[in-house]
Amino acid sequence: MLNEKVFSKNLCDHCLGRLYSGLLSGHTSEERGKAIRLSMAMMIDSGKVETKEIDMSNFHDFKFRNGSKPGKKEKCWMCSDIFDNLDKLAEKCVKRLGNLEFSSFLVGSKVSGQIHAREEKMWEINGIENVETIKTEINRELGKRIERLVKKPVAFKRPDILILANLEKARYDLQIGSLYVFGYYSKRKRGFPQCKWGTPGVYKTSVQEIIAKPFLKATESKHNSFHGGGREDIDARCMGWRPFVIEIEKPVKRKISLAKMRQEINKGSKVKVKSLKFCDRDTVVRVKTERGEKAYRVTVLFSKPVDKSDLKKLYKLKGVISQRTPTRVSHRRADLVRKRKVLDIKYKRISSKKIELMVKTNAGLYVKELVSGNGGRTKPSVSSMLGVEATPKDLDVTMVQKTRNV
Ligand SMILES: [Zn+2]
């Protein structure tokens, strides 16, 4: 196991010990390196090992009895003594963290191509069965030091902050993890979209902007993403509660009061929120993919009077609806015929040319087209059932099924 070829280059205790990381637990690479070096020094002193191929700098602080000459102290051939600088590097990283609020972090490091090449060279000499990479050791050793300085733990899964230490260029970059907050919103007014990106400049506000505003201020963030569990049309209200996750990007502050956020948002009359809670990225996927039941209320205007008794035909809409992608959304959704379900339908007659329709569906049914028929693309429809033109007006989402397990 004591391979003198390992000593053909001058290595520090860390770089030496990492070649044997897989052996014994409870020891650092540095300790392993010291032990291996001491053993080799004794082999040399016993005269059992030829020193011709050995870089004797490895033994600069040993005193041999058999006349072997220790070399001069030199920097580690592999790492140039990086590990001696880790305390300083840790301090630099902490400085870089500034006033960022976080509860966990992780270190990732980058070393030069030369270090990697030399590391591989040593692996060729001594085998890779028990090695650990230099990056892994730096990450761990730097992590330990930063842990002590900031008194926050390293987290391998979803750290708030990822510290990227480029040791070659002496650069320390931070990747700040987003802050995620789950909640339900209700849109109480018509005429503005859910997200701002859909129609830049056209609408003065959006559900996203209203909800994001106090969050951005409190977290000192500039950007956010909004993930809604479905969305309502610009001209529709959502009187039920729709699940969402707001993602605050690169927050400086994380310890914010959600009760205060709720109060701030709910001061306005357009959007209300409730049940805010911190969540993680998984919740975004859950909110976006969950397809629960929804209920709608819509006013329907007829092109000509419809008999009271004829309206009963509307109950037949309960069941499967075949719906080809509506013309109004065909620019952003594939042109397909989808099977959707009307789970329940009720109506209230207001006049011979006007009713209020209440529809319960599984997700994905376009209610406006269920009313109008969209030129035969939705079948059957209110229009086809009654044999009149039917126009939807004032659509409200009245219920969105709750997201489970959030
Ligand atoms: Zn080294």
Side-chain angles (χ1 to χ4, degrees), residues 165-223:
N166 185 330
L167 301 181
E168 189 185 7
K169 297 189 171 141
R171 271 189 54 181
Y172 308 94
D173 293 321
L174 302 178
Q175 270 179 21
I176 304 170
S178 293
L179 182 66
Y180 297 89
V181 177
F182 171 85
Y184 294 94
Y185 80 80
S186 176
K187 181 185 165 198
R188 304 291 172 93
K189 298 264 154 76
R190 301 180 198 284
F192 58 99
Q194 183 191 61
C195 288
K196 57 182 180 182
W197 48 262
T199 45
V202 179
Y203 298 95
K204 284 201 186 78
T205 190
S206 64
V207 174
Q208 176 180 9
E209 270 174 73
I210 291 167
I211 293 176
K213 201 176 167 192
F215 278 103
L216 294 180
K217 195 171 169 221
T219 58
E220 297 175 25
S221 161
K222 288 191 178 67
H223 302 284

Side-chain angles (χ1 to χ4, degrees), residues 19-179:
L19 296 167
Y20 304 92
S21 286
L23 302 172
L24 301 178
S25 62
H27 294 277
T28 63
S29 293
E30 193 180 14
E31 286 166 353
R32 288 187 179 88
K34 273 195 169 69
I36 292 281
R37 191 186 311 278
L38 182 62
S39 308
M40 182 53 72
M42 288 195 275
M43 294 283 284
I44 293 169
D45 213 18
S46 73
K48 283 180 184 150
V49 175
E50 280 270 353
T51 55
K52 251 197 305 187
E53 305 285 318
I54 289 178
D55 182 337
M56 290 302 282
S57 303
N58 275 300
F59 303 100
H60 68 88
D61 53 355
F62 284 81
K63 290 180 192 130
F64 293 99
R65 287 174 187 270
N66 75 344
S68 298
K69 294 263 179 299
K72 273 200 308 189
K73 186 174 192 253
E74 271 175 35
K75 281 197 171 178
C76 173
W77 173 76
M78 197 187 296
C79 75
S80 306
D81 297 347
I82 275 182
F83 292 91
D84 289 349
N85 288 322
L86 289 190
D87 286 334
K88 262 190 206 149
L89 295 182
E91 278 168 29
K92 277 186 188 166
C93 291
V94 170
K95 211 169 162 188
R96 185 82 176 72
L97 288 165
N99 64 340
L100 279 176
E101 271 181 14
F102 62 98
S103 53
S104 63
F105 72 95
L106 186 63
V107 178
S109 60
K110 194 168 191 277
V111 294
S112 71
Q114 178 179 295
I115 290 180
H116 280 304
R118 291 188 169 182
E119 179 171 55
E120 279 178 24
K121 182 106 191 170
M122 269 300 150
W123 294 350
E124 276 167 28
I125 289 173
N126 202 47
I128 56 161
E129 295 80 9
N130 295 309
V131 302
E132 179 180 59
T133 68
I134 188 166
K135 273 177 67 155
T136 308
E137 192 187 4
I138 291 174
N139 293 348
R140 187 180 54 245
E141 291 299 319
L142 207 46
K144 276 196 239 169
R145 285 163 173 78
I146 297 172
E147 261 184 342
R148 281 197 292 270
L149 292 170
V150 300
K151 300 185 174 63
K152 307 262 167 64
V154 163
F156 292 96
K157 205 183 159 208
R158 306 228 170 96
D160 285 346
I161 311 276
L162 182 60
I163 302 170
L164 296 167
N166 185 330
L167 301 181
E168 189 185 7
K169 297 189 171 141
R171 271 189 54 181
Y172 308 94
D173 293 321
L174 302 178
Q175 270 179 21
I176 304 170
S178 293
L179 182 66

